Amino acid sequence: QVQLVESGGGLVQAGGSLRLSCAASGRTFSRYAMGWFRQNPGKEREFVAAISWNADSTDYADSVKGRFTISKDTAKIMVYLQMNSLKPEDTAVYYCAARSRPYTVPKRLQGEYGTWGQGTQVTVSS
């Protein structure tokens, strides 16, 4: 069973950067595609970025393309989200998630993910 714990959130000025980390436990973590989602108060959880199980492909929401980068370090059992040029609208709780099946590609729908972390708060001020 894969367990995920996010970290790295915080308060940052617009235009600044943050790097989120997702630490995973479980022997088969390296076999799973991973994703990042975010949720604002009163809003639906939305897709941010995803990476294939072997890190050979990625996908990004249009709102973050060119600013955010997802990466995966299987040796350390970690997934990262480098966030640059942050905007106030990026403010949200960010969640790391693992696909329901191993050896898969990035997906945008939250229903494709079976394991979720607790989330880490990112607040971007003007």
Side-chain angles (χ1 to χ4, degrees):
Q1 184 176 15
V2 176
Q3 295 183 333
L4 308 174
V5 180
E6 304 93 336
S7 63
L11 176 64
V12 64
Q13 291 280 344
S17 299
L18 284 174
R19 188 195 192 201
L20 305 185
S21 298
C22 175
S25 62
R27 294 182 180 276
T28 61
F29 171 75
S30 63
R31 302 177 180 179
Y32 288 80
M34 306 293 296
W36 285 96
F37 294 76
R38 66 188 183 187
Q39 186 170 26
N40 295 309
K43 300 293 184 65
E44 293 291 321
R45 188 173 299 176
E46 65 176 349
F47 169 78
V48 176
I51 188 168
S52 62
W53 73 276
N54 59 355
D56 67 346
S57 64
T58 58
D59 192 21
Y60 297 92
D62 290 341
S63 60
V64 306
K65 192 180 296 289
R67 300 187 298 121
F68 291 10
T69 302
I70 186 172
S71 61
K72 186 179 183 183
D73 185 343
T74 57
K76 295 183 177 181
I77 317 177
M78 296 284 285
V79 179
Y80 305 97
L81 184 68
Q82 178 64 48
M83 306 186 295
N84 299 324
S85 302
L86 284 163
K87 305 174 181 179
E89 50 263 46
D90 294 318
T91 295
V93 176
Y94 283 71
Y95 298 90
C96 176
R99 290 287 306 277
S100 300
R101 296 174 178 271
Y103 307 113
T104 55
V105 298
K107 293 292 183 180
R108 297 188 174 191
L109 298 178
Q110 62 179 330
E112 299 284 352
Y113 297 82
T115 303
W116 296 79
Q118 299 299 307
T120 184
Q121 177 70 49
V122 172
T123 302
V124 184
S125 62
S126 301

